[in-house]
Every structure is written in C-alpha cells, then in structure tokens.
C-alpha cells in the first residue's frame, strides 16, 4: 500500500537540503559541490562542501560548521580546493584553501569587500578574483562605535544605477580584478577606475587575463557598451579587443 501524498508544509522547509555548483576534479574521479541546510534553532541557512566519487560511491561531507562555504574550485593538480567561506565573520567572505586528502582549511585572503568569482591560474600559483572593496566610510563606521550607532547620515548619489532590488544601496566602489598568491595570500589589485570589470578568465598559458568592461563615459547611461579586454596577468594597460559590443 503506497503512502498517501500530501502537500509541502512550512515544517518541511527545515528538512530540505539543496545541492548546487558541482565541480569535477581534474582527474575526473570526484565531484565537489555545495549543500545548503537550515538550522532550525537559529533560523539560519548554512552551506557546507560535499565530495562524491564519480564511480557511484557514497558522498561525504567535506567541510563542517555553522557558516557558508561556497564556490569550491579545484587547483589544477587536484590536490587542493579553494572556496569562499564566512567561518571567521558571517558578514565577510574570504577565500580559503583546503587539501583534498585531508587537513584544516587555511584562510588565504584578508580583504574587506565582496567576492563575485575567482579562478586558479593554469600553474596553480595564483588566483584571479573579481572583487569589490568595501567603501572606506563603511569600514570606518564598523570600527567606530559612535559612527556605527549613528548609521548612514547622508548619501551622495552620482550615478543612475545606485540601488538594486534585492540588493539595496550599492557601494561607491566598483568591481575590479585582483590576483592572489596561492601560498602567501598576498593580494594585488590589477584594475582601477569608475567602472566594473566582469567575467575574468586566464589565458591557457597564464600570461594574460581577459574580461568584460563598460568603459563608456557614463556606463550607467550606456549600459550596452560592454567590450572585451585583454591585459597582462602581471598587471598593466588593458587593451580593448576587436569583438562585438553589447551585453555578454
């Protein structure tokens, strides 16, 4: 006799575990992925990393804890996994690196801001990140109890895209490209300016970086003027490539 079906209730939401962002290891033998779960007592969502063998074996939890681990990325040789985590500060994500064969996760970055994406260099020596620094006044407000209690007293709006649904007020800082040493964690900012860089990727030899950017005089008013750029991986002048302009 089959069990009678029923509709989902609010209570069932505590039982849901949502898998996302699967990444195949370089040797093709394992997949690392994220699993989001809900802590019933704290009424918070957390995410940990899981690993499953591709031969059909049992998956296993790879990281543990009441924090958000996300965007797992294998090193080119498959010995390490880099990922984002809030394990030191629930309001500040950092990049961590953990050995695949076992060991503790090591915090790599100590930046203040938001990571959008990151990728290993072909030789595994560096990471390329799309990162937006935290506004200086916001940092000062976090460090000064009086300013923190007072909150934001004024906003100087200088562009049309100053607020997004589901995000709120946008910071003044823009998305820029950074490289991060995979051993020391030393971070180097490659791009600057009052525009955003998105979709960064390494060239196969690791000597160059390609990305999209709207370098119009008023990017907020000419949103379709997005071009493809190339720049040396060590930093330097970005060169616009001969490619169709538009949303990518």
């Amino acid at each position: 006799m089959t069990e009678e079906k029923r509709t989902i209730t609010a209570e069932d939401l505590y039982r849901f575990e949502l898998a996302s962002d699967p990444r195949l290891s370089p040797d093709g033998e394992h997949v690392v992925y994220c699993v989001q779960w809900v802590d019933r007592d704290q009424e918070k969502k957390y995410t940990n990393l899981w690993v499953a063998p591709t031969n059909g074996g049992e998956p296993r939890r790879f990281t543990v804890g009441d924090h958000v681990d996300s965007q797992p990325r294998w090193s080119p040789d498959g010995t390490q996994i880099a990922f984002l985590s809030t394990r030191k500060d629930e309001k500040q994500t950092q990049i961590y690196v953990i050995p695949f064969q076992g060991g503790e996760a090591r915090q790599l970055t100590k930046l203040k801001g938001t990571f959008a994406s990151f990728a290993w260099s072909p030789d595994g020596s560096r990471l390329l990140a799309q990162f937006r620094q935290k506004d200086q006044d916001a940092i000062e407000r976090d460090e000064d109890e009086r300013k923190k209690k007072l909150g934001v007293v004024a906003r100087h709006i200088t562009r049309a895209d100053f607020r997004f649904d589901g995000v709120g007020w946008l910071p003044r800082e823009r998305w820029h490209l950074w490289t991060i040493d995979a051993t020391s964690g030393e971070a180097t900012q490659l791009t600057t300016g009052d525009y955003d860089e998105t979709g960064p990727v390494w060239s196969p030899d690791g000597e160059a970086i390609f990305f999209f950017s709207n370098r119009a005089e008023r990017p907020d008013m000419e949103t379709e003027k997005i071009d493809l750029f190339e720049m040396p991986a060590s930093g330097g002048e970005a060169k616009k490539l001969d490619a169709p302009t538009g949303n990518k």
Side-chain angles (χ1 to χ4, degrees):
M1 187 175 181
T2 60
E3 184 178 348
E4 184 178 352
K5 293 184 179 180
R6 63 175 177 81
T7 58
I8 294 175
T9 67
E11 192 72 15
D12 291 326
L13 298 178
Y14 293 108
R15 301 165 56 192
F16 286 173
E17 293 186 347
L18 306 179
S20 64
D21 201 9
R23 298 284 165 164
L24 186 65
S25 62
D27 61 9
E29 295 185 359
H30 294 87
V31 175
V32 62
Y33 58 99
C34 303
V35 175
Q36 184 187 80
W37 53 281
V38 180
D39 185 287
R40 185 188 184 100
D41 296 330
Q42 299 186 56
E43 294 286 346
K44 289 185 177 181
K45 296 178 181 179
Y46 298 112
T47 304
N48 297 132
L49 304 184
W50 285 65
V51 171
T54 55
N55 63 5
E58 287 294 320
R60 62 185 174 91
R61 186 190 292 266
F62 193 64
T63 63
V64 298
D66 296 347
H67 41 250
V68 177
D69 298 330
S70 62
Q71 292 192 40
R73 301 293 183 264
W74 294 92
S75 61
D77 62 5
T79 62
Q80 302 180 88
I81 297 174
F83 61 99
L84 298 179
S85 182
T86 59
R87 55 188 57 204
K88 289 285 185 69
D89 182 347
E90 66 176 12
K91 295 182 179 180
Q92 176 61 65
T93 300
Q94 299 289 356
I95 296 178
Y96 286 75
V97 177
I98 186 171
F100 177 57
Q101 295 302 329
E104 293 294 326
R106 173 174 61 91
Q107 183 177 340
L108 190 62
T109 60
K110 295 181 180 180
L111 298 173
K112 294 184 178 181
T114 305
F115 289 93
S117 65
F118 67 93
W120 289 87
S121 62
D123 65 1
S125 66
R126 291 173 292 172
L127 297 165
L128 170 63
Q130 178 188 341
F131 179 76
R132 182 173 63 194
Q133 287 183 292
K134 196 170 187 177
D135 287 343
Q136 186 58 40
D137 59 348
I139 294 176
E140 293 174 359
R141 192 161 52 248
D142 289 342
E143 296 174 349
D144 188 312
E145 288 300 324
R146 184 182 63 85
K147 291 183 178 180
K148 183 186 297 186
K149 185 176 181 180
L150 191 61
V152 178
V153 296
R155 297 186 189 276
H156 183 201
I157 305 302
T158 60
R159 64 189 201 232
D161 53 346
F162 61 90
R163 188 173 183 175
F164 286 165
D165 290 343
V167 176
W169 297 96
L170 298 180
R172 290 190 299 275
E173 291 284 353
R174 297 286 194 161
W175 292 107
H176 288 300
L177 306 185
W178 295 61
T179 53
I180 300 158
D181 187 281
T183 301
S184 68
E186 180 181 357
T188 302
Q189 185 171 353
L190 300 183
T191 62
T192 59
D194 194 23
Y195 33 72
D196 297 305
E197 282 87 37
T198 61
V201 295
W202 293 93
S203 63
D205 61 6
E207 295 297 321
I209 292 168
F210 298 87
F211 60 94
F212 297 117
S213 185
N214 185 333
R215 302 272 175 113
E217 185 175 347
R218 285 291 305 275
D220 56 331
M221 302 302 291
E222 300 177 275
T223 58
E224 298 297 317
K225 290 191 174 182
I226 301 175
D227 290 297
L228 177 63
F229 290 82
E230 176 187 2
M231 72 179 302
S234 58
E237 183 179 355
K239 178 179 67 174
K240 186 174 74 171
L241 301 182
D242 186 15
T245 297
N247 285 326
K248 308 297 191 290

